[in-house]
């Protein structure tokens, strides 16, 4: 049975120095906690040194997050580089007919089934680390939050007490030509 979320790395592991590169596009259907607007897309490359399996890649997607100020849903672009190393035990079959190289999966949640990489699990881990902890309307859309206290202060100070007018002038950018 062939599964689309498994990447066979046996050839790379049995022949150190060989590379495999694959284009990946996934919606991460198993992930209920992420709200993807666009598929997670990028390219992954794997190579074995004999002692290590090196997996690198660059991926991007668009996710929906809550504004940390007003809790309005906002769309955020997320891009990340992946650089993973996994230990390899055994002798590659290209060097010995007695043994074969195998990935040592030391992760608390398995990323390998034999020498098959569970691609979506690895991508999910890296994506979760790349998502910003906080995002706000101003940083993403360039517009202040609908309920932003600083903009309310600026509006209120234009017609009120003298001290609020002075505070509002501190918020205004300086004119370099003046």
């Amino acid at each position: 049975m062939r599964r689309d979320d498994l990447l066979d790395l046996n050839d790379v592991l049995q022949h150190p120095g060989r590379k495999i590169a694959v284009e990946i596009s996934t919606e991460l259907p198993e992930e209920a906690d992420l709200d993807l607007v666009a598929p997670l897309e990028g390219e992954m490359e794997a190579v074995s040194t004999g002692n290590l399996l090196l997996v690198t890649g660059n991926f991007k997607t668009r996710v929906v997050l809550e504004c940390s100020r007003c809790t309005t849903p906002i769309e955020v672009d997320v891009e990340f580089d992946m650089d993973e190393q996994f230990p390899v035990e055994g002798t590659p079959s290209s060097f010995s007919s007695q043994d074969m190289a195998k990935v040592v999966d030391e992760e608390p949640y398995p990323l390998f089934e034999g020498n098959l990489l569970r691609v979506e699990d690895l991508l999910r881990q890296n994506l979760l680390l790349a998502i910003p902890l906080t995002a706000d309307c101003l940083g993403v859309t360039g517009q202040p939050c609908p309920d932003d206290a600083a903009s309310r202060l600026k509006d209120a100070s234009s017609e009120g007490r003298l001290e609020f007018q002075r505070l509002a002038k501190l918020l205004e950018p300086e004119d370099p030509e003046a």
Side-chain angles (χ1 to χ4, degrees):
M1 176 174 91
R2 183 181 187 286
R3 289 180 31 198
D4 288 337
D5 64 330
L6 295 176
L7 179 61
D8 187 356
L9 297 175
N10 197 50
D11 187 49
V12 170
L13 290 164
Q14 304 315 320
H15 301 91
R18 261 191 205 167
K19 287 184 182 180
I20 184 172
V22 292
E23 297 270 333
I24 296 174
S25 178
T26 180
E27 304 266 339
L28 294 177
E30 301 286 321
E31 187 60 49
D33 294 339
L34 285 174
D35 205 2
L36 297 180
V37 177
L40 179 61
E41 296 178 330
E43 185 172 311
M44 180 184 293
E45 187 174 279
V47 64
S48 173
T49 65
N51 296 336
L52 288 174
L53 174 66
L54 308 173
V55 180
T56 58
N58 181 284
F59 293 89
K60 64 181 176 179
T61 188
R62 191 165 178 85
V63 298
V64 175
L65 300 176
E66 275 188 359
C67 173
S68 58
R69 293 181 180 199
C70 67
T71 68
T72 302
I74 52 176
E75 292 183 11
V76 177
D77 291 321
V78 178
E79 189 169 338
F80 62 92
D81 291 324
M82 182 172 52
D83 187 10
E84 301 286 341
Q85 299 179 5
F86 302 99
V88 175
E89 67 180 16
T91 306
S93 64
S94 64
F95 298 146
S96 167
S97 61
Q98 307 294 321
D99 199 8
M100 68 181 277
K102 299 177 194 97
V103 175
V104 180
D105 196 4
E106 299 174 339
E107 298 288 321
Y109 298 99
L111 294 175
F112 290 89
E113 291 180 16
N115 286 339
L116 302 174
L117 174 63
R118 299 169 82 175
V119 175
E120 290 184 353
D121 292 344
L122 181 61
L123 291 175
R124 181 178 297 108
Q125 282 184 3
N126 282 276
L127 176 60
L128 289 173
L129 290 173
I131 291 176
L133 295 176
T134 60
D136 60 41
C137 294
L138 185 61
V140 174
T141 64
Q143 301 295 320
C145 295
D147 192 28
D148 188 11
S151 62
R152 285 196 321 261
L153 174 63
K154 191 172 184 179
D155 293 341
S157 67
S158 63
E159 60 193 44
R161 297 170 37 190
L162 180 62
E163 45 285 11
F164 288 130
Q165 291 175 2
R166 289 182 182 150
L167 285 173
K169 288 183 182 180
L170 292 175
L171 291 175
E172 295 174 4
E174 291 186 32
D175 187 10
E177 296 176 6

